[in-house]
Amino acid sequence: MSDRAKVLALHGGLLVLLFALQFVLPAYHHGNLARIMVLASFAVGYNVMFGYAGLLSLGHALFFAAGMYGMGLAVQHGGAAPVPGLLAGIAAALAVSLAVGLLALRTAGVGFMIVTLMFAQAGYLTILYFGTYTRGDEGLVLQQAQRVLWGIDLTQPGTRYFAALLLFAVCVLATLAMVRAPFGKVLIAIRENEERARMLGYDVFRYKLAAVVISGVISGLAGAVYGLLFGYVGATFASVQYSIFPLLWVLLGGAGTVLGPFVGTLFMFYLIDLSSAVTSAYMLVAGVALVLLTLFAPQGLVGEIRDRIWRWLP
Amino acid sequence: MDFGPYLMLASLEGAVTAAVLALTAIGLSLVFGVMRVVNVAHGEFFMLGAVLAWWVASHVGGPPALGFVAALAIAPLAVGGLAALADMTVLKRVAYDPERTIVATIGILYIIQQVTLMTYGPEARPVEPPFNTRLALPWVEWGESGLQLYWPWGLSTTSYKLFVIGAAAAVLVGVWLLMARTRIGLLMRATQLDREMALAFGIPVERVYAMVFGIGGALAALGAVLIVPIQQAHYLMGGDPLLLSFIVVIIGGLGSLPGTVAAAVLIGLSDGIISVFFSPTLAKILATLLVALVLVFRPQGLFGTGAK
């Protein structure tokens, strides 16, 4: 088999497997997997920036929340239907990521990390400040009637799973196409050696800005879909924790691999799920995982597989 | 109360915030200056200082002052030791790579915070101040016979709050003396200027790093011990000091100690004053945006001199 055929077989196989799983999984794991696929789409968005363009953002909750609140506020206060709501979410994420990209990309390295962290913190506080509309920590609850898309009720577990799978498939296939296109190769070149990419005549700033916007829009889309599928739009999703999670998922799964974000989200979700049954201090698992990953496996799970067995993994 | 006394009260509260903030931020600034890494777990060292202060104070019998003095000695030492240990086991092994250090210290943040939650619990607990006399403050106004003093109702502070301001100032002078006048300070400054050259001259750079990281953590813990009689100890209390220290260190110019102190006074006072007159959330939004924009447009900080 050629590498291209292997790549298509592996990624297509995963999507088919996820499709088939909905008929066999018990209700609890069925619901979890739907959630994981939406969160993994968020991680896929994060990976575009961190894994491929080499930009470590500590403020991705801002994009997730921009999509979520763009959708939630339009549906709740604007009386929008789900599709215009999703479009409002995407538009909000696009605007926010463009603004953050234009400002934050003037810095690099640690400066970039702190600037994104601060913007996300300002966004979180802004949501709390406008509590009259956003209802702050309490959040907005979307009613069932507001979550019917073309006559399909998204509150049903079956349709919810299918919608989550659809989102995940679109995100994975989009990044797969991006990575294999010249655009993706340039991003990797910038990650590996920015000066060299600039010497070769690429407009590094524009490529990085595009990466930030693509990453922000995918994350925002995931946020909007999350709000729609699970009927809740809350300030927690804008807090620092939701900026750390995608970093953790991508690091665990493998930065700069198409499947890494999904693998990392799946592992971490169940790890936290299991440990929160034992203790309320479940974030301890996240902390230990972060330290161990930086110390021993900076490549992540899929990254290690690529290094050792399947060198063709994108 | 009129505007004048109200402003004075707000500035006094702000000065206490500024004093503790200066201690916390100087620790972060020292670590960044010498080691060129950002310690995201700094706020947790602060929290740990407060929690340990409660633990020590509740285990030492006798008058509250005895427990407080014991906490003042033990908490910073213990936290400093822990910080030095974290440096040797984790930071050294990622070779102080700036980005990996941030990720690793985020991990350390969650470990410290969650272990505290598991052992100390989710309650907020107070430490009794060693002394707490209420001091009424006078204000001047134009009366029938020219300027006269009067004591407006509600305008008062406590002797403990004044002590916090004095103690913080004394510690800051101590840090300056340590950096400027001692051999250890000399080694730190040499390492900061040129790590490679310091190594070549036989300075044990790794030990200096562990020490700086330890001192940074100890300063945060010291600030927390001072504030804990006013504010209760809680396992989530590290978030705000971390954010404010970041703001102070960045506005003051990364790694510049005088700049950090100046920025701490500025931010502490304005935070106190703005929070009294406006919404604290709005004050924080403006402060975080200010930091982001300073980093974008003036990376050397407001008080820094020239780009490096």
Side-chain angles (χ1 to χ4, degrees):
Chain A
M1 261 208 291
S2 70
D3 281 358
R4 186 186 154 78
K6 282 186 206 162
V7 167
L8 285 177
L10 182 69
H11 295 81
L14 175 74
L15 294 178
V16 171
L17 177 70
L18 285 171
F19 181 77
L21 272 176
Q22 63 173 314
F23 302 111
V24 287
L25 281 180
Y28 177 67
H29 295 286
H30 184 272
N32 275 355
L33 199 56
R35 213 171 279 259
I36 290 171
M37 285 190 290
V38 180
L39 292 175
S41 307
F42 179 25
V44 165
Y46 187 81
N47 194 29
V48 170
M49 232 168 109
F50 174 53
Y52 292 106
L55 295 164
L56 205 168
S57 147
L58 288 180
H60 249 55
L62 182 63
F63 304 141
F64 190 71
M68 191 179 238
Y69 274 93
M71 183 281 300
L73 292 177
V75 169
Q76 191 83 343
H77 297 297
V83 176
L86 282 179
L87 290 179
I90 292 174
L94 181 79
V96 170
S97 56
L98 191 64
V100 168
L102 280 173
L103 288 170
L105 283 174
R106 296 172 58 114
T107 62
V110 171
F112 185 80
M113 297 163 83
I114 298 178
V115 168
T116 50
L117 180 70
M118 290 298 162
F119 276 133
Q121 190 65 20
Y124 170 63
L125 293 168
T126 307
I127 290 173
L128 293 185
Y129 186 69
F130 290 102
T132 358
Y133 306 103
T134 61
R135 307 201 34 163
D137 272 329
E138 216 176 293
L140 305 166
V141 176
L142 303 183
Q143 302 304 321
Q144 188 192 357
Q146 296 169 313
R147 293 157 60 198
V148 177
L149 181 71
W150 295 317
I152 304 165
D153 186 355
L154 291 175
T155 55
Q156 294 301 315
T159 46
R160 188 159 70 184
Y161 187 96
F162 197 75
L165 177 62
L166 189 67
L167 168 76
F168 179 64
V170 167
C171 293
V172 164
L173 295 178
T175 38
L176 196 59
M178 187 200 83
V179 174
R180 298 174 69 84
F183 175 75
K185 309 260 189 243
V186 177
L187 285 189
I188 295 175
I190 293 173
R191 177 189 74 193
E192 293 302 319
N193 192 331
E194 190 171 331
E195 281 308 307
R196 191 162 56 201
R198 190 173 288 125
M199 284 279 290
L200 288 171
Y202 291 106
D203 186 344
V204 171
F205 183 82
R206 272 178 54 190
Y207 274 94
K208 288 207 276 191
L209 186 61
V212 172
V213 171
I214 292 172
S215 174
V217 167
I218 294 179
S219 305
L221 177 64
V225 172
Y226 193 97
L228 209 52
L229 293 189
F230 301 100
Y232 177 66
V233 172
T236 334
F237 294 107
S239 64
V240 183
Q241 201 164 327
Y242 275 83
S243 293
I244 305 299
F245 273 141
L247 168 69
L248 183 61
W249 295 328
V250 169
L251 270 179
L252 178 62
T257 62
V258 172
L259 288 184
F262 175 73
V263 175
T265 313
L266 183 72
F267 261 79
M268 196 41 74
F269 189 92
Y270 271 100
L271 210 56
I272 287 183
D273 190 55
L274 291 177
S275 56
S276 59
V278 183
T279 167
S280 58
Y282 59 88
M283 281 303 284
L284 180 63
V285 181
V288 173
L290 274 176
V291 172
L292 291 180
L293 280 169
T294 34
L295 282 183
F296 301 110
Q299 300 287 328
L301 295 171
V302 178
E304 293 290 329
I305 293 177
R306 173 163 64 187
D307 273 4
R308 285 153 206 249
I309 317 167
W310 292 340
R311 302 204 141 270
W312 45 268
L313 270 181
Chain B
M1 250 191 300
D2 297 331
F3 179 76
Y6 208 52
L7 184 68
M8 181 171 168
L9 191 66
S11 331
L12 263 172
E13 294 300 315
V16 176
T17 314
V20 173
L21 186 56
L23 285 185
T24 316
I26 209 91
L28 193 67
S29 181
L30 196 64
V31 168
F32 184 84
V34 176
M35 300 166 66
R36 296 275 136 194
V37 295
V38 175
N39 173 22
V40 186
H42 197 66
E44 302 315 303
F45 291 145
F46 180 87
M47 178 274 288
L48 212 52
V51 167
L52 281 177
W54 171 83
W55 188 79
V56 170
S58 63
H59 279 76
V60 174
L66 193 65
F68 181 78
V69 170
L72 212 48
I74 295 173
L77 270 181
V79 173
L82 183 79
L85 189 72
D87 171 83
M88 287 186 284
T89 50
V90 179
L91 267 57
K92 193 170 115 183
R93 300 196 44 170
V94 298
Y96 302 102
D97 174 79
E99 297 198 348
R100 287 176 71 195
T101 302
I102 290 196
V103 178
T105 49
I106 292 174
I108 295 174
L109 178 162
Y110 280 120
I111 293 176
I112 297 179
Q113 185 191 82
Q114 300 293 310
V115 169
T116 310
L117 173 63
M118 287 164 80
T119 49
Y120 170 83
E123 299 88 10
R125 297 188 173 112
V127 169
E128 215 175 313
F131 43 84
N132 206 14
T133 328
R134 207 171 167 71
L135 304 171
L137 296 171
W139 188 256
V140 287
E141 71 169 6
W142 283 104
E144 285 143 15
S145 53
L147 268 180
Q148 58 183 198
L149 282 178
Y150 79 113
W151 274 260
W153 184 84
L155 179 58
S156 67
T157 185
T158 63
S159 56
Y160 183 74
K161 284 183 180 168
L162 296 180
F163 164 75
V164 170
I165 299 171
V171 173
L172 288 176
V173 171
V175 171
W176 176 74
L177 284 176
L178 178 80
M179 290 302 283
R181 293 277 184 273
T182 65
R183 195 181 134 71
I184 291 176
L186 188 66
L187 294 187
M188 287 183 197
R189 281 182 290 137
T191 312
Q192 172 168 10
L193 272 178
D194 193 333
R195 184 194 135 90
E196 300 297 317
M197 193 58 86
L199 260 178
F201 274 94
I203 293 175
V205 167
E206 285 186 346
R207 255 189 283 164
V208 171
Y209 276 8
M211 185 162 202
V212 167
F213 208 69
I215 294 177
L219 284 170
L222 194 60
V225 178
L226 287 176
I227 201 71
V228 81
I230 302 173
Q231 225 180 51
Q232 301 187 335
H234 184 255
Y235 83 103
L236 285 178
M237 74 190 291
D240 273 359
L242 175 70
L243 194 65
L244 282 172
S245 305
F246 259 18
I247 295 174
V248 163
V249 170
I250 288 162
I251 303 275
L254 284 165
S256 142
L257 297 189
T260 305
V261 175
V265 173
L266 179 75
I267 298 287
L269 280 179
S270 51
D271 188 61
I273 294 170
I274 293 174
S275 305
V276 167
F277 293 106
F278 304 98
S279 134
T281 316
L282 186 63
K284 272 194 211 154
I285 295 177
L286 295 178
T288 43
L289 284 179
L290 177 68
V291 168
L293 295 178
V294 164
L295 263 179
V296 169
F297 294 107
R298 218 183 131 78
Q300 72 272 29
L302 288 184
F303 302 109
T305 47
K308 274 183 196 162

